[in-house]
Amino acid sequence: MSLTDHQEATEAAGPIDSTSAAPSLPDDIDLDDPILYLSRELTWLAFNRRVLHEAEDPRNRLLERVKFLAIVSSNLDEFFMKRIGGLKQQIAAGVHTISLDGRTPSQQLQECQTAVRAFQSEQRRIHVELMRELDEHDIRVSLYKDLDEDDRERLREHFRANIFPMLTPLAMDPAHPFPFISNLTLNLLVTLKYPGGNEIYMARVKVPVNKDVSKRLIPVDGTHTYVTLEDLIVNNLDMLFPGMEFVSCALFRITRNAIVEPDVEAANDLLEMIESELRERHFAPIVRLEVQPGMEPTHRGMLAAELGLNEEEDVIEVEGMMALRDLFEIAAIDLPELHDKPHRPVDHPLLANDRRNIFHIIRENGPILLQHPYQPFSTSVERFLRTAADDPKVLAIKMTLYRTSAGAILDSLIKAARNGKQVAVLVELKARFDEAANIQWARRLEAEGIHVNYGVMGLKTHSKLIFVVRRDYSQLRRYYHIGTGNYHPGTAKLYTDLGMLGCDEEMGQDLTELFNYLTGYSPPPSYRKILAAPYNLKRAIVDKINREIEHHKRDGNGLIQMKMNALEDPEITRALYKASRAGVQVDLIIRDTCRFRPGLPGISEKARVVSIVGRFLEHARIMYFRNGGEEEYYIGSADMMRRNLDSRVEVHAPVENPELRQELRLILDVQFADTRSAWDMDANGDYTQRTPEDESKRGAQETLIGVAEKRLAAAAKHKEKKIRSRLLSHFQWRLRDKNLGS
């Protein structure tokens, strides 16, 4: 891209404007003082407030706003399963350790519960507003009793044929123990009696929400009017309990802790350990009970007692629709005028019009930087692996799989093995919430004769790597893909990620040694180019930050820029404070969790923290160091979190090609200049959304969509010009040859 294009793209996002208020601090404050560090949990909740704002923002199309509301609900469920569950686990174990931000587990839990209550109040308000606006577009979730008689009769027949056979009422009395309640399922607590009788009976009915059989929202006569599945069941309970009188019926839902400590000693191997963990998670302690307003106090207390919960702290009344994550069903309605303009990724310019073997393209053109979802996953990463599977000169393929899905990736690996290539795949069984799927993929690959490894005991393998050994002419050459995102075609359409295809010899040697460690034993003492956790990544980053301080002392223009999902690691945060305190400009693009506080006088007053929230989930990781003019760029899989840097196998790779560096520079500049979807953090951890003077200004993601389209169009035009030039030369040659012959 030309400098003019770079300036145009940056200007499209708008000027930078960051203001912040800062608390007063003593001049001699220690960089270990807890006051300098924000709460991991509370900053994560703050990120979801920014996502919730997208559900309210009238600049977004209506069904996109519904989608954001569903995302927030899903995220909040995960917060309870992981963060609240983890805090409760610490409290139960008697842990009183003070966190980096100076809080005990009990204090963290209390502050989180207070913040969540305020958050959910705002969530409910926005839900009511969205339902009103949906109604104006003839999209509504109605009550069964408000439908006309014909609609009720059709739905009753649907219930009889499709729902009733799946229902299993479970009595609750001295002869029937309290039933097991599954995580995040909707349940009805029904009380009833025989006609003329006084004795009250109680039963639990699980609402059988299933995306393939019985969705949460049932359409009424083919329109965009829906009733909830639980409402349909409640109004047809007479089929389930014929001849009984109903006293009450209330909806409830539980959330279980997702953090289960597996018994390492009892397991014979890692696969068995993870399968055991999944079984234990199914029965894990409950951390939250959601109930319908108006539930009988005695019933509410009974549920809390049976589930082992503190009724005052752990029971939440939910007004309106429970489990708003199911609004994804509404967000998926096919009404183009209520959705964003469809995004169609455009091929990378070097790959779009060149159908040669992709290894030839990489070898001749040098490294290729891939930008998803602006460029498609299928014509880049999947093409790379598909070609490797078919190419007779490819001898071996090695790959790490953290998250994936059925489809082209697995098919290519299986095809490669069937074609006689050596295929080794590291499947990370401990990928949270994907464990069951990864066990399935691992067994499928093993059945095809592929060498499947589960990584290094005690470490998660989170790196995103494909490594290919190919016979080029008379020598072996190593090709690779190093990425920031998962090998999952679905998330590649929704997450902004980077990947690099290349064949650098030293990088290839590093990856050879890394894979040998992952499938073997000892790690190499050092690497030539890559930075790998948990071996040298953190130390290298701290060293580079300290080096920037030294350059700044000498030259006065130190600059560190980082883009990541989260900044939580104490050592990295402390090093960034040290750099900012020394006068180095520290610019951070951080999606969610952030312990670093910008704008602190004398410590971080010139530092910036920006968060981008848009139609895609920001997921790429970039590091930049000015390094006294010898600039360094890195991309990779690790966020600046203690777990990533100390307990995971992560890889960051240098980007050395000048053209690729220019592409990374554009991404950073556009996002720092964004005035549509960027939020500035202040010293207190509060965020303010930038507001453009010109409402037509595009956000960073829309700007980068335009950049990708412009690059492809320019490449096509250039190729067309080259083809015309070749044809003209060929015509002139033939004409000259003809004249000579005459």
Side-chain angles (χ1 to χ4, degrees):
M1 168 169 282
S2 69
L3 180 61
T4 302
D5 291 338
H6 182 288
Q7 290 172 337
E8 287 178 359
T10 306
E11 288 167 2
I16 300 170
D17 178 24
S18 176
T19 57
S20 58
S24 59
L25 296 170
D27 294 335
D28 59 346
I29 190 168
D30 184 352
L31 291 183
D32 289 325
D33 194 313
I35 197 173
L36 296 178
Y37 299 91
L38 295 168
S39 162
R40 174 181 176 179
E41 283 74 19
L42 296 179
T43 56
W44 189 90
L45 285 171
F47 161 65
N48 278 278
R49 288 194 193 94
R50 299 193 291 280
V51 179
L52 184 60
H53 175 81
E54 295 298 305
E56 187 178 25
D57 194 333
R59 293 176 297 178
N60 294 324
R61 302 279 182 95
L62 182 56
L63 291 180
E64 301 300 327
R65 293 167 61 192
V66 174
K67 176 193 72 177
F68 281 114
L69 186 62
I71 289 171
V72 165
S73 178
S74 179
N75 287 352
L76 202 57
D77 287 342
E78 186 173 331
F79 181 76
F80 271 90
M81 287 189 286
K82 292 171 66 174
R83 303 308 309 161
I84 297 295
L87 290 172
K88 282 178 170 284
Q89 211 167 37
Q90 291 180 51
I91 294 167
V95 175
H96 300 290
T97 306
I98 302 295
S99 64
L100 184 65
D101 49 276
R103 295 170 170 88
T104 65
S106 295
Q107 289 172 324
Q108 292 177 68
L109 179 61
Q110 185 177 3
E111 289 189 45
C112 285
Q113 288 173 329
T114 300
V116 165
R117 290 190 188 98
F119 184 92
Q120 289 183 311
S121 176
E122 194 70 1
Q123 187 182 19
R124 286 192 290 271
R125 180 187 64 77
I126 293 172
H127 175 229
V128 170
E129 173 62 22
L130 283 176
M131 297 310 293
R132 184 190 63 76
E133 292 189 40
L134 286 169
D135 187 71
E136 293 173 1
H137 290 84
D138 295 322
I139 302 170
R140 56 186 64 89
V141 179
S142 295
L143 294 174
Y144 182 89
K145 64 182 180 60
D146 293 337
L147 301 175
D148 63 39
E149 187 175 344
D150 289 343
D151 287 335
R152 290 199 303 271
E153 189 56 42
R154 276 192 296 270
L155 286 173
R156 185 172 174 84
E157 185 54 39
H158 171 76
F159 173 82
R160 186 195 313 276
N162 300 293
I163 309 301
F164 177 69
M166 294 190 292
L167 299 180
T168 305
L170 297 175
M172 291 187 290
D173 56 38
H176 299 85
F178 189 82
F180 173 77
I181 310 294
S182 299
N183 187 39
L184 300 181
T185 58
L186 293 167
N187 304 270
L188 293 169
L189 185 65
V190 183
T191 57
L192 58 167
K193 64 180 182 178
Y194 287 105
N198 295 318
E199 187 172 358
I200 301 296
Y201 299 90
M202 187 175 290
R204 173 258 188 166
V205 179
K206 179 179 177 179
V207 179
V209 177
N210 184 298
K211 64 179 181 179
D212 298 318
V213 181
S214 54
K215 293 186 177 182
R216 175 79 183 282
L217 299 175
I218 310 296
V220 178
D221 195 24
T223 66
H224 294 311
T225 297
Y226 303 85
V227 295
T228 63
L229 180 56
E230 65 269 22
D231 190 25
L232 180 60
I233 294 172
V234 167
N235 283 278
N236 289 278
L237 282 174
D238 59 299
M239 288 193 201
L240 203 59
F241 302 98
M244 302 289 284
E245 291 182 3
F246 300 102
V247 179
S248 68
C249 186
L251 192 68
F252 71 94
R253 180 176 183 253
I254 66 160
T255 307
R256 291 184 180 272
N257 187 357
I259 301 176
V260 177
E261 294 298 329
D263 187 350
V264 179
E265 294 182 0
N268 292 326
D269 58 33
L270 186 59
L271 186 64
E272 179 184 327
M273 184 182 77
I274 299 302
E275 288 180 319
S276 173
E277 180 181 340
L278 287 175
R279 287 191 296 271
E280 290 178 25
R281 188 185 296 169
H282 188 62
F283 298 97
I286 296 163
V287 297
R288 174 178 65 168
L289 168 63
E290 296 171 280
V291 300
Q292 210 170 9
M295 176 182 279
E296 283 285 335
T298 54
H299 297 165
R300 173 179 165 144
M302 179 274 296
L303 284 176
E306 290 286 355
L307 298 171
L309 298 174
N310 181 313
E311 185 178 357
E312 185 177 341
E313 295 179 0
D314 302 323
V315 181
I316 300 173
E317 281 197 356
V318 179
E319 296 179 13
M321 182 177 171
M322 198 176 291
L324 292 176
R325 62 194 300 167
D326 291 326
L327 287 177
F328 280 120
E329 296 176 23
I330 294 286
I333 293 174
D334 186 15
L335 291 173
E337 67 275 14
L338 299 183
H339 283 288
D340 286 337
K341 179 183 176 183
H343 171 241
R344 295 180 177 84
V346 296
D347 287 340
H348 190 285
L350 288 177
L351 303 176
N353 301 303
D354 195 336
R355 296 305 167 193
R356 292 178 299 158
N357 185 307
I358 195 170
F359 299 114
H360 298 175
I361 300 172
I362 296 169
R363 189 177 65 221
E364 293 176 16
N365 291 278
I368 297 172
L369 186 71
L370 305 173
Q371 300 181 38
H372 309 299
Y374 311 114
Q375 295 160 349
F377 188 74
S378 59
T379 60
S380 55
V381 178
E382 288 181 359
R383 178 181 172 184
F384 179 75
L385 199 54
R386 187 168 57 246
T387 304
D390 291 331
D391 189 340
K393 292 188 177 182
V394 168
L395 305 177
I397 301 172
K398 301 180 183 182
M399 184 175 184
T400 59
L401 278 180
Y402 189 76
R403 301 187 198 276
T404 189
S405 67
I409 294 293
L410 294 180
D411 291 345
S412 291
L413 292 170
I414 291 169
K415 188 174 184 180
R418 290 176 179 176
N419 285 343
K421 305 179 193 307
Q422 179 185 325
V423 182
V425 180
L426 190 144
V427 178
E428 180 47 73
L429 296 180
K430 300 187 292 294
R432 183 74 66 186
F433 303 126
D434 270 344
E435 297 96 335
N438 285 4
I439 289 172
Q440 177 187 346
W441 308 141
R443 286 180 167 152
R444 180 180 170 190
L445 294 173
E446 283 179 328
E448 294 288 343
I450 292 172
H451 301 291
V452 177
N453 189 279
Y454 303 125
V456 183
M457 185 65 77
L459 300 176
K460 273 189 180 182
T461 302
H462 190 249
S463 52
K464 326 297 184 183
L465 305 169
I466 303 175
F467 180 67
V468 175
V469 180
R470 185 178 190 270
R471 185 186 296 108
D472 281 7
Y473 304 110
S474 60
Q475 69 178 51
L476 294 183
R477 193 184 299 270
R478 289 169 273 212
Y479 294 85
Y480 50 80
H481 172 267
I482 299 174
T484 69
N486 301 306
Y487 292 113
H488 194 298
T491 56
K493 296 175 182 177
L494 303 172
Y495 294 9
T496 69
D497 272 305
L498 296 167
M500 183 167 61
L501 298 171
C503 60
D504 177 85
E505 180 60 25
E506 290 187 302
M507 204 99 75
Q509 290 179 34
D510 283 351
L511 294 178
T512 298
E513 293 172 2
L514 177 70
F515 271 103
N516 287 344
Y517 167 59
L518 292 176
T519 57
Y521 289 101
S522 62
S526 63
Y527 292 104
R528 297 156 190 81
K529 289 190 174 182
I530 67 170
L531 306 178
Y535 320 111
N536 68 341
L537 178 55
K538 182 191 284 190
R539 185 71 263 154
I541 294 172
V542 172
D543 288 347
K544 290 176 187 297
I545 293 172
N546 289 334
R547 182 190 62 190
E548 201 68 26
I549 294 173
E550 295 306 312
H551 281 305
H552 184 77
K553 288 178 180 177
R554 186 179 65 247
D555 305 325
N557 62 347
L559 176 61
I560 298 169
Q561 294 182 321
M562 292 184 175
K563 173 177 167 56
M564 66 195 87
N565 300 331
L567 171 58
E568 178 269 342
D569 182 81
E571 293 177 60
I572 301 295
T573 309
R574 192 180 301 114
L576 290 171
Y577 274 134
K578 183 180 174 184
S580 184
R581 198 176 202 175
V584 175
Q585 180 62 46
V586 175
D587 296 334
L588 305 174
I589 301 172
I590 301 177
R591 188 187 71 198
D592 49 75
T593 297
C594 179
R595 289 200 182 275
F596 184 90
R597 297 172 64 172
L600 294 174
I603 296 178
S604 60
E605 56 190 313
K606 292 184 179 179
R608 292 187 292 163
V609 175
V610 177
S611 176
I612 304 290
V613 181
R615 67 187 292 180
F616 306 127
L617 183 72
E618 290 293 329
H619 196 252
R621 291 95 169 182
I622 305 172
M623 295 191 299
Y624 168 80
F625 303 92
R626 181 169 281 164
N627 189 27
E630 298 294 323
E631 298 176 306
E632 289 184 346
Y633 288 86
Y634 286 84
I635 64 169
S637 59
D639 287 311
M640 299 300 106
M641 301 186 73
R642 186 160 21 190
R643 69 181 190 194
N644 297 73
L645 301 175
D646 296 342
S647 306
R648 291 186 174 187
V649 178
E650 306 271 14
V651 170
H652 273 249
V655 178
E656 299 171 323
N657 180 280
E659 292 183 4
L660 271 55
R661 289 179 168 205
Q662 191 178 29
E663 292 183 42
L664 294 177
R665 171 47 49 202
L666 177 67
I667 293 171
L668 292 172
D669 287 351
V670 166
Q671 294 209 334
F672 278 120
D674 187 347
T675 59
R676 166 61 180 85
S677 49
W679 296 70
D680 290 303
M681 181 202 272
D682 66 19
N684 298 310
D686 297 323
Y687 286 82
T688 302
Q689 188 179 38
R690 296 177 184 173
T691 53
E693 294 180 3
D694 181 357
E695 286 296 326
S696 66
K697 285 283 187 182
R698 295 184 298 172
Q701 294 178 356
E702 287 70 27
T703 299
L704 292 173
I705 288 174
V707 168
E709 293 170 347
K710 190 174 181 180
R711 278 180 178 154
L712 181 61
K717 188 175 181 180
H718 178 65
K719 183 175 180 64
E720 192 176 301
K721 186 177 180 180
K722 286 177 67 177
I723 291 173
R724 284 200 302 267
S725 177
R726 287 190 196 132
L727 288 173
L728 182 59
S729 297
H730 181 67
F731 175 75
Q732 289 172 338
W733 176 83
R734 289 190 62 186
L735 184 63
R736 185 170 61 251
D737 185 57
K738 182 178 179 181
N739 290 336
L740 287 173
S742 62

